[in-house]
Amino acid sequence: RTIVPDPEKIPILEQMFRVYVETQSDFKVRDWLKAHQILSWSGKPEWAVGSIRDLLTNRVYIGEIEINRRNKGVEGLP
């Protein structure tokens, strides 16, 4: 199994992390998302702060967990 990022979500995720690093506030991330009218992944108009916190601490997103380590370096995998 491999994880393939959704190309449309990559810029949003990158900016969410930037805002968090600059402000150290998941509430500021929520405000940024709302100001830019970015719907939550479930389609709701406003993000829950808990969802933002979960996303920002997701071990896969922050590089603590390596996915598909067995096939690392195998050609032909996406």
Side-chain angles (χ1 to χ4, degrees):
R1 292 177 32 155
T2 59
I3 294 179
V4 179
D6 181 341
E8 291 181 17
K9 292 181 180 176
I10 292 172
I12 296 167
L13 286 167
E14 289 174 344
Q15 188 60 33
M16 289 173 73
F17 277 97
R18 276 190 207 98
V19 171
Y20 183 77
V21 167
E22 290 171 8
T23 65
Q24 298 295 302
S25 169
D26 27 15
F27 290 94
K28 295 284 186 182
V29 175
R30 182 202 54 201
D31 295 344
W32 178 85
L33 290 162
K34 187 174 182 177
H36 289 85
Q37 300 176 349
I38 297 171
L39 299 177
S40 71
W41 295 161
S42 64
K44 295 180 182 174
E46 188 165 320
W47 285 69
V49 173
S51 296
I52 293 168
R53 188 174 303 120
D54 290 346
L55 189 147
L56 294 173
T57 59
N58 183 309
R59 294 180 71 200
V60 172
Y61 286 147
I62 61 177
E64 287 184 352
I65 296 178
E66 187 175 346
I67 301 300
N68 204 11
R69 184 181 344 185
R70 252 188 337 203
N71 295 321
K72 186 176 183 176
V74 175
E75 291 185 32
L77 290 177

